[in-house]
Amino acid sequence: MIYITRKENFNAAHKLARPDWSDDQNLEVFGKCANPNWHGHNYQLFVTVKGEIDRETGFLVDLKWLKNVINEHVIDKLDHRNLNLDVDFMKDKLASTENLAIAIWEELVPHINSSNAQLHSIKIYETENNIIEYFG
């Protein structure tokens, strides 16, 4: 079993706030992340796939193919967008990075698992100090 990780970057805005809570309650729970005027991050996304190496190519997957899958199904939908308003796969979800990692997994798993590889993990660096990893 071999593991390969592809790194991509995207910039996005979001706000942590429950619409069924008051502004005061959102502020109390989510702090400045509930800013009504949004805030943004320069996210780093790490997509790790696993599997056996193809004897003919020497690859687990073609990294250009993996890049294209990630960009088409995730990065193009997230980059320079508002996670709360613009991203179809985040609709009706609280825009936490935890929920974002799960949503990215759900977007990628059918495409990657139809190849020679399996999706192993999604890791997102929201900041240099806040890192979320999801294993499905």
Side-chain angles (χ1 to χ4, degrees), residues 67-122:
K67 173 186 174 180
N68 290 338
V69 166
I70 296 167
N71 281 311
E72 178 183 347
H73 298 285
V74 175
I75 301 301
D76 292 348
K77 295 178 180 184
L78 295 174
D79 193 33
H80 287 81
R81 301 282 195 265
N82 183 310
L83 301 180
N84 301 75
L85 302 176
D86 301 329
V87 180
D88 60 348
F89 61 81
M90 290 298 291
K91 184 174 172 45
D92 299 323
K93 296 177 182 167
L94 185 66
S96 68
T97 305
E98 294 88 330
N99 285 335
L100 180 60
I102 293 168
I104 290 171
W105 175 283
E106 291 169 352
E107 288 296 299
L108 292 178
V109 74
H111 304 286
I112 291 172
N113 287 10
S114 69
S115 73
N116 187 47
Q118 291 182 306
L119 186 55
H120 174 71
S121 69
I122 299 296

Side-chain angles (χ1 to χ4, degrees), residues 7 14 40 125 127:
K7 176 185 171 197
H14 73 141
Y125 281 62
T127 69

